[in-house]
Amino acid sequence: MRLSQMLFVTLREDPAEAEIPSHKLLLRAGYMRRIASGLYAYLPLLQRVLDKVSAIVRDEMNATGAQECLLPQLQPASLWKESGRWDTYTKAEGIMFSLGDRRDQELALGPTHEEVITAIARDMIRSYKQLPLHLYQLQTKFRDEIRPRFGLMRGREFIMKDGYSFHTDAESLKATYDQMYQTYSNILRRTGLGFRAVEADSGAIGGSGSTEFMVLAEAGEDEVLYTEDGKYSANVEKAVSLPPDAVPSPFSTYEKRDTPGTATIATVTDFLKCSPTQVVKNVLYQVSYDNGRQVLVIVSIRGDQDVNETKLQNALTNLASEYEANTILALEVPDAEAQAKWATKPLPLGYIAPNLSDDFIGEQKGLSPEFLRIVDETAVELKNFVTGSNESGFHVVGANWGKEFVLPQRRVDLRTAIAGDRAVHDPTQTIQTARGIEIGHIFQLGHKYSEALGATYTSEQGKEVPLEMGCYGVGVSRLAQAAVEQSYDQNGIIWPVAIAPYHAIVVVPNIKDADQMDAAEKLYDELNAAGVETLLDDRKERAGVKFKDAELVGIPFRIVTGRSLKNGKVEVVKRADGEAAEIALDDVVSTLQSWVTAAIEK
């Protein structure tokens, strides 16, 4: 392609809307343009990158025997209501675009396709003889983000590969799950990106187990915790670890102490001259379920630890059936306005004890009259601890479970693991931290959707059995931007060769110089004929502008038909490290071919 004929406009300054380097560079280098908040046009250079990423994804997926299909972007609400996720996606998380047609039927723009694919399986899979089956698509998805940001990282429209597998049993599902783990690893290695596979929370997708594939980058939205021995890695939402050992309590007798102005862990431990590891703090939450029921929750946790609200939400979702509900719509710490709706008297905030009386809960439609009490494992074994007294300005010391306080029946790991903790699998290993961009996610769904939508098959024994399901997603457009976030310098993008829009760019410093143009045209034709995808910068611009644009755009190899021509050579520069060499004209094609092949096969 000749740049003089291409839609190619670069910017010298960072756009005001862009926050992270990859977003700035993709806009500056002319890869995309913002149309509205969270909506971008993919321009010719970016489309080539997306095509290459998609080709790698297809190649690896097809190698597993998975079959490509294409599912509708517009989905009926009825399917989502069958699965029980309509309220979750339109009200609780609120991330799904919903609309009505002229017949007043509710529809949605799909952020994911579990319901649609399960409906197809329900209609078409009859016998165990048709299983296992794995279908996938590359499709545009939609999310109604509250605050679209970071370009393609968190937009309202994005390209994704999503696959769905169907099985007779959990063993067959696990085999495909493991196969997809390897497939996703292959995809990311072929694209040239550094990544880490981590244990993950399944979120609104659900299921029994999941793994995320994180591209490592400082601007990553996710925190990854891992050990240097390579035996443990997890998203912080899912991660577990061993907390520091609790310091022995200095208190041996139970008593109530006057502790004015000590509503925080820091102030009370300073006042009482004790360690936060000997404090039981009690955190109040309010959970709203999808049937209108609301429950007030008291979480008792060690004073030096923080509640992992993802873990808490999962625990409360598991308890939904006890309140005749299916899922959670909201989980929040009730503010003063929320408290005023149900509290019979002012709460002793900062001084709450594990046994805060249910008398604080007044009558309100749908509100449970009792606190749900949960204790984190870090607080269970504490002896002679400090905690609130249920009276503002006072704490109790020397308290014990089974004596002054009843240990809650529900014991759950709710703490947030952090860097510096000890690893569960090997306490000599210290938890490390890194930032990552989630690019892929694989799930073992089990019967979650097949039971909800009635998707069954006839077993060898002639019984109707729910299908075992798995799902597997890769963010294609997100991967493209993640590659930039992982590899750039002060001059611009540094594309991995495998997904670069072009392998090489021939720069003509002076298009009025016939020798420079003749050499450039010859190299351009020969390189493209040899399979080295090449751009020709034949624009009427100064040489300095062309060199800067070549670095900004990030093409892996730059060929300059400049002063070296008088010696029968051209200058070739590697974008990744800036290494430059003069190469004879007759050797350029074979040299570039070998470099490109080596980089792609690496």
mmCIF file of all heavy atoms in Angstrom, residues 356-382:
data_model
loop_
_atom_site.group_PDB
_atom_site.id
_atom_site.type_symbol
_atom_site.label_atom_id
_atom_site.label_comp_id
_atom_site.label_asym_id
_atom_site.label_seq_id
_atom_site.Cartn_x
_atom_site.Cartn_y
_atom_site.Cartn_z
ATOM 1 N N LEU A 356 -24.567 -6.831 67.381
ATOM 2 C CA LEU A 356 -25.467 -5.681 67.261
ATOM 3 C C LEU A 356 -26.909 -6.172 67.218
ATOM 4 O O LEU A 356 -27.259 -7.061 66.456
ATOM 5 C CB LEU A 356 -25.146 -4.895 65.980
ATOM 6 C CG LEU A 356 -25.964 -3.605 65.761
ATOM 7 C CD1 LEU A 356 -25.598 -2.544 66.788
ATOM 8 C CD2 LEU A 356 -25.738 -3.079 64.338
ATOM 9 N N SER A 357 -27.754 -5.599 68.060
ATOM 10 C CA SER A 357 -29.119 -6.100 68.229
ATOM 11 C C SER A 357 -29.967 -5.917 66.978
ATOM 12 O O SER A 357 -29.897 -4.894 66.288
ATOM 13 C CB SER A 357 -29.790 -5.376 69.397
ATOM 14 O OG SER A 357 -31.150 -5.741 69.497
ATOM 15 N N ASP A 358 -30.803 -6.920 66.725
ATOM 16 C CA ASP A 358 -31.759 -6.831 65.629
ATOM 17 C C ASP A 358 -32.796 -5.741 65.869
ATOM 18 O O ASP A 358 -33.525 -5.354 64.944
ATOM 19 C CB ASP A 358 -32.479 -8.171 65.437
ATOM 20 C CG ASP A 358 -31.541 -9.273 64.966
ATOM 21 O OD1 ASP A 358 -30.522 -8.953 64.319
ATOM 22 O OD2 ASP A 358 -31.817 -10.461 65.251
ATOM 23 N N ASP A 359 -32.864 -5.229 67.095
ATOM 24 C CA ASP A 359 -33.815 -4.161 67.411
ATOM 25 C C ASP A 359 -33.522 -2.877 66.645
ATOM 26 O O ASP A 359 -34.374 -1.992 66.561
ATOM 27 C CB ASP A 359 -33.794 -3.858 68.916
ATOM 28 C CG ASP A 359 -34.357 -5.004 69.742
ATOM 29 O OD1 ASP A 359 -35.053 -5.865 69.150
ATOM 30 O OD2 ASP A 359 -34.094 -5.056 70.955
ATOM 31 N N PHE A 360 -32.298 -2.771 66.097
ATOM 32 C CA PHE A 360 -31.961 -1.591 65.299
ATOM 33 C C PHE A 360 -32.701 -1.590 63.959
ATOM 34 O O PHE A 360 -32.765 -0.572 63.288
ATOM 35 C CB PHE A 360 -30.449 -1.530 65.039
ATOM 36 C CG PHE A 360 -29.656 -0.915 66.158
ATOM 37 C CD1 PHE A 360 -29.140 -1.704 67.169
ATOM 38 C CD2 PHE A 360 -29.422 0.451 66.198
ATOM 39 C CE1 PHE A 360 -28.407 -1.147 68.197
ATOM 40 C CE2 PHE A 360 -28.686 1.028 67.227
ATOM 41 C CZ PHE A 360 -28.182 0.225 68.241
ATOM 42 N N ILE A 361 -33.242 -2.750 63.571
ATOM 43 C CA ILE A 361 -33.907 -2.866 62.265
ATOM 44 C C ILE A 361 -35.404 -2.625 62.435
ATOM 45 O O ILE A 361 -36.101 -3.387 63.114
ATOM 46 C CB ILE A 361 -33.685 -4.259 61.648
ATOM 47 C CG1 ILE A 361 -32.188 -4.571 61.548
ATOM 48 C CG2 ILE A 361 -34.333 -4.338 60.269
ATOM 49 C CD1 ILE A 361 -31.889 -5.971 61.070
ATOM 50 N N GLY A 362 -35.876 -1.570 61.816
ATOM 51 C CA GLY A 362 -37.300 -1.284 61.864
ATOM 52 C C GLY A 362 -38.041 -1.972 60.735
ATOM 53 O O GLY A 362 -37.448 -2.675 59.901
ATOM 54 N N GLU A 363 -39.334 -1.779 60.693
ATOM 55 C CA GLU A 363 -40.146 -2.404 59.653
ATOM 56 C C GLU A 363 -39.986 -1.662 58.330
ATOM 57 O O GLU A 363 -40.089 -0.445 58.277
ATOM 58 C CB GLU A 363 -41.624 -2.410 60.067
ATOM 59 C CG GLU A 363 -41.931 -3.349 61.228
ATOM 60 C CD GLU A 363 -43.419 -3.460 61.487
ATOM 61 O OE1 GLU A 363 -44.200 -2.974 60.643
ATOM 62 O OE2 GLU A 363 -43.802 -4.020 62.528
ATOM 63 N N GLN A 364 -39.708 -2.421 57.304
ATOM 64 C CA GLN A 364 -39.622 -1.878 55.946
ATOM 65 C C GLN A 364 -39.962 -3.006 54.992
ATOM 66 O O GLN A 364 -39.484 -4.135 55.150
ATOM 67 C CB GLN A 364 -38.221 -1.344 55.640
ATOM 68 C CG GLN A 364 -38.099 -0.745 54.239
ATOM 69 C CD GLN A 364 -36.691 -0.231 53.942
ATOM 70 O OE1 GLN A 364 -36.007 0.248 54.833
ATOM 71 N NE2 GLN A 364 -36.268 -0.349 52.695
ATOM 72 N N LYS A 365 -40.770 -2.738 54.014
ATOM 73 C CA LYS A 365 -41.217 -3.768 53.075
ATOM 74 C C LYS A 365 -40.026 -4.452 52.419
ATOM 75 O O LYS A 365 -39.147 -3.795 51.856
ATOM 76 C CB LYS A 365 -42.121 -3.146 52.014
ATOM 77 C CG LYS A 365 -42.695 -4.182 51.048
ATOM 78 C CD LYS A 365 -43.609 -3.533 50.013
ATOM 79 C CE LYS A 365 -44.170 -4.568 49.049
ATOM 80 N NZ LYS A 365 -45.055 -3.952 48.026
ATOM 81 N N GLY A 366 -39.997 -5.770 52.509
ATOM 82 C CA GLY A 366 -38.955 -6.559 51.872
ATOM 83 C C GLY A 366 -37.687 -6.697 52.663
ATOM 84 O O GLY A 366 -36.789 -7.441 52.274
ATOM 85 N N LEU A 367 -37.574 -5.983 53.790
ATOM 86 C CA LEU A 367 -36.340 -6.009 54.583
ATOM 87 C C LEU A 367 -36.403 -7.104 55.638
ATOM 88 O O LEU A 367 -37.371 -7.184 56.413
ATOM 89 C CB LEU A 367 -36.111 -4.654 55.252
ATOM 90 C CG LEU A 367 -34.841 -4.521 56.102
ATOM 91 C CD1 LEU A 367 -33.591 -4.637 55.220
ATOM 92 C CD2 LEU A 367 -34.840 -3.181 56.851
ATOM 93 N N SER A 368 -35.381 -7.945 55.676
ATOM 94 C CA SER A 368 -35.313 -8.987 56.690
ATOM 95 C C SER A 368 -35.208 -8.351 58.074
ATOM 96 O O SER A 368 -34.451 -7.391 58.268
ATOM 97 C CB SER A 368 -34.100 -9.886 56.453
ATOM 98 O OG SER A 368 -33.932 -10.792 57.522
ATOM 99 N N PRO A 369 -35.940 -8.870 59.070
ATOM 100 C CA PRO A 369 -35.910 -8.272 60.410
ATOM 101 C C PRO A 369 -34.683 -8.655 61.224
ATOM 102 O O PRO A 369 -34.518 -8.189 62.352
ATOM 103 C CB PRO A 369 -37.187 -8.831 61.059
ATOM 104 C CG PRO A 369 -37.384 -10.149 60.392
ATOM 105 C CD PRO A 369 -36.922 -9.967 58.983
ATOM 106 N N GLU A 370 -33.803 -9.479 60.655
ATOM 107 C CA GLU A 370 -32.617 -9.929 61.377
ATOM 108 C C GLU A 370 -31.350 -9.657 60.573
ATOM 109 O O GLU A 370 -31.351 -9.734 59.351
ATOM 110 C CB GLU A 370 -32.707 -11.429 61.675
ATOM 111 C CG GLU A 370 -33.875 -11.831 62.545
ATOM 112 C CD GLU A 370 -33.921 -13.330 62.745
ATOM 113 O OE1 GLU A 370 -33.198 -14.054 62.026
ATOM 114 O OE2 GLU A 370 -34.676 -13.780 63.620
ATOM 115 N N PHE A 371 -30.268 -9.337 61.292
ATOM 116 C CA PHE A 371 -28.974 -9.213 60.648
ATOM 117 C C PHE A 371 -28.491 -10.599 60.214
ATOM 118 O O PHE A 371 -28.661 -11.582 60.942
ATOM 119 C CB PHE A 371 -27.935 -8.608 61.599
ATOM 120 C CG PHE A 371 -28.114 -7.143 61.860
ATOM 121 C CD1 PHE A 371 -28.553 -6.697 63.102
ATOM 122 C CD2 PHE A 371 -27.834 -6.198 60.883
ATOM 123 C CE1 PHE A 371 -28.703 -5.353 63.364
ATOM 124 C CE2 PHE A 371 -27.990 -4.843 61.132
ATOM 125 C CZ PHE A 371 -28.429 -4.414 62.376
ATOM 126 N N LEU A 372 -27.898 -10.673 59.045
ATOM 127 C CA LEU A 372 -27.177 -11.872 58.618
ATOM 128 C C LEU A 372 -25.738 -11.685 59.073
ATOM 129 O O LEU A 372 -25.080 -10.713 58.694
ATOM 130 C CB LEU A 372 -27.239 -12.017 57.095
ATOM 131 C CG LEU A 372 -26.367 -13.116 56.468
ATOM 132 C CD1 LEU A 372 -26.779 -14.493 56.968
ATOM 133 C CD2 LEU A 372 -26.437 -13.043 54.947
ATOM 134 N N ARG A 373 -25.251 -12.604 59.900
ATOM 135 C CA ARG A 373 -23.920 -12.443 60.495
ATOM 136 C C ARG A 373 -22.953 -13.450 59.888
ATOM 137 O O ARG A 373 -23.210 -14.657 59.872
ATOM 138 C CB ARG A 373 -23.998 -12.610 62.018
ATOM 139 C CG ARG A 373 -24.971 -11.619 62.650
ATOM 140 C CD ARG A 373 -25.203 -11.881 64.139
ATOM 141 N NE ARG A 373 -26.437 -11.240 64.570
ATOM 142 C CZ ARG A 373 -26.528 -9.983 65.005
ATOM 143 N NH1 ARG A 373 -25.430 -9.236 65.073
ATOM 144 N NH2 ARG A 373 -27.684 -9.476 65.371
ATOM 145 N N ILE A 374 -21.836 -12.932 59.374
ATOM 146 C CA ILE A 374 -20.803 -13.760 58.740
ATOM 147 C C ILE A 374 -19.457 -13.418 59.374
ATOM 148 O O ILE A 374 -19.159 -12.248 59.623
ATOM 149 C CB ILE A 374 -20.741 -13.505 57.219
ATOM 150 C CG1 ILE A 374 -22.109 -13.757 56.564
ATOM 151 C CG2 ILE A 374 -19.677 -14.374 56.562
ATOM 152 C CD1 ILE A 374 -22.143 -13.433 55.074
ATOM 153 N N VAL A 375 -18.652 -14.426 59.631
ATOM 154 C CA VAL A 375 -17.327 -14.181 60.195
ATOM 155 C C VAL A 375 -16.267 -14.657 59.205
ATOM 156 O O VAL A 375 -16.363 -15.745 58.625
ATOM 157 C CB VAL A 375 -17.146 -14.871 61.575
ATOM 158 C CG1 VAL A 375 -17.280 -16.378 61.472
ATOM 159 C CG2 VAL A 375 -15.809 -14.481 62.207
ATOM 160 N N ASP A 376 -15.268 -13.822 58.994
ATOM 161 C CA ASP A 376 -14.135 -14.208 58.164
ATOM 162 C C ASP A 376 -13.203 -15.106 58.970
ATOM 163 O O ASP A 376 -13.084 -14.974 60.198
ATOM 164 C CB ASP A 376 -13.375 -12.961 57.703
ATOM 165 C CG ASP A 376 -12.155 -13.312 56.880
ATOM 166 O OD1 ASP A 376 -12.326 -13.771 55.745
ATOM 167 O OD2 ASP A 376 -11.025 -13.156 57.401
ATOM 168 N N GLU A 377 -12.520 -16.007 58.267
ATOM 169 C CA GLU A 377 -11.653 -16.969 58.942
ATOM 170 C C GLU A 377 -10.573 -16.294 59.793
ATOM 171 O O GLU A 377 -10.117 -16.860 60.782
ATOM 172 C CB GLU A 377 -10.996 -17.904 57.913
ATOM 173 C CG GLU A 377 -11.975 -18.792 57.152
ATOM 174 C CD GLU A 377 -12.581 -19.888 58.029
ATOM 175 O OE1 GLU A 377 -12.132 -20.060 59.178
ATOM 176 O OE2 GLU A 377 -13.511 -20.566 57.558
ATOM 177 N N THR A 378 -10.145 -15.081 59.414
ATOM 178 C CA THR A 378 -9.081 -14.417 60.182
ATOM 179 C C THR A 378 -9.510 -14.051 61.592
ATOM 180 O O THR A 378 -8.665 -13.868 62.475
ATOM 181 C CB THR A 378 -8.616 -13.137 59.471
ATOM 182 O OG1 THR A 378 -9.752 -12.275 59.256
ATOM 183 C CG2 THR A 378 -7.944 -13.447 58.150
ATOM 184 N N ALA A 379 -10.819 -13.927 61.814
ATOM 185 C CA ALA A 379 -11.296 -13.511 63.135
ATOM 186 C C ALA A 379 -11.676 -14.692 64.025
ATOM 187 O O ALA A 379 -11.854 -14.524 65.236
ATOM 188 C CB ALA A 379 -12.496 -12.579 62.986
ATOM 189 N N VAL A 380 -11.773 -15.878 63.441
ATOM 190 C CA VAL A 380 -12.318 -17.030 64.173
ATOM 191 C C VAL A 380 -11.462 -17.440 65.363
ATOM 192 O O VAL A 380 -11.974 -17.736 66.449
ATOM 193 C CB VAL A 380 -12.504 -18.226 63.204
ATOM 194 C CG1 VAL A 380 -12.859 -19.495 63.987
ATOM 195 C CG2 VAL A 380 -13.595 -17.915 62.191
ATOM 196 N N GLU A 381 -10.153 -17.470 65.197
ATOM 197 C CA GLU A 381 -9.269 -17.997 66.241
ATOM 198 C C GLU A 381 -8.758 -16.936 67.211
ATOM 199 O O GLU A 381 -7.943 -17.243 68.083
ATOM 200 C CB GLU A 381 -8.071 -18.705 65.591
ATOM 201 C CG GLU A 381 -8.455 -19.880 64.683
ATOM 202 C CD GLU A 381 -9.192 -20.971 65.436
ATOM 203 O OE1 GLU A 381 -8.929 -21.169 66.639
ATOM 204 O OE2 GLU A 381 -10.051 -21.633 64.806
ATOM 205 N N LEU A 382 -9.201 -15.710 67.102
ATOM 206 C CA LEU A 382 -8.698 -14.655 67.995
ATOM 207 C C LEU A 382 -9.150 -14.881 69.438
ATOM 208 O O LEU A 382 -10.279 -15.304 69.699
ATOM 209 C CB LEU A 382 -9.172 -13.283 67.509
ATOM 210 C CG LEU A 382 -8.618 -12.785 66.164
ATOM 211 C CD1 LEU A 382 -9.084 -11.367 65.895
ATOM 212 C CD2 LEU A 382 -7.094 -12.856 66.138
#
